[in-house]
Amino acid sequence: MSVQERKQRERAERERLIVATARELAEQQGWDAVTTRRLAERIEYSQPVLYSHFRGKREIIGAVALEGAAEMAAAVRTATSAADGPRERVAALARAYLNFAARNPAVYDALFQLDGGLAYAREDTPEPLKDAFAALLESLAEVAGEGVHPALFTEVFWACLHGIATLTRAGRLLPGDAAQRVELLVDRLAVV
């Protein structure tokens, strides 16, 4: 291995450590607790080393969001691949999405609530974000209904899931009705 390859590998490892540490800190104490000073202390590198990888907290949030998008896409695909039939796939998608949001609140915030400097719904949207949307579209396209553009239907269904996830986390919805919400959403929106 050349010196250049070793340096690139070490740089990538430092970036992974920074992102993992930021994510861990955010999940434990919230995003307000994530500062470059705290990250530097936790990973035992100087702040200038952090800034050589990320220009600031916004870029770190963006990196966490991209990692989370890939994880969410994988969770949705795993859940839907095990389901038989369109209705079951959509229900599995909804449960997987809501479970991801509940298990990873800081990552979910990085994806959908905080400014990570990422472009959404544009040509220059990063691939992990496009792929997360594609993971939803793969199952939702078949139940959009005649004359309904599958991507538009996916946006509306996603917005419903986001609302449920956000309101549940904020304690605005009764926790015992979670399964009924998914069933209602699938039954009323999806054409199966």
Side-chain angles (χ1 to χ4, degrees), residues 23 27 71 98-111 169:
R23 184 175 171 167
E27 291 292 0
E71 292 171 11
L98 295 171
N99 287 338
F100 179 87
R103 282 191 322 270
N104 305 284
V107 173
Y108 193 81
D109 285 349
L111 269 165
R169 187 162 139 210

Side-chain angles (χ1 to χ4, degrees), residues 37-57:
R37 175 171 291 157
R38 274 199 172 149
L39 287 173
E41 288 171 2
R42 282 207 174 189
I43 64 172
E44 299 178 347
Y45 283 106
S46 67
Q47 282 183 291
V49 170
L50 256 68
Y51 285 116
S52 74
H53 292 275
F54 299 99
R55 287 184 293 210
K57 183 175 176 176

Side-chain angles (χ1 to χ4, degrees), residues 81-101:
S81 70
D84 291 326
R87 187 194 186 290
E88 291 76 17
R89 274 190 291 282
V90 174
L93 175 151
R95 286 189 298 272
Y97 183 98
L98 295 171
N99 287 338
F100 179 87

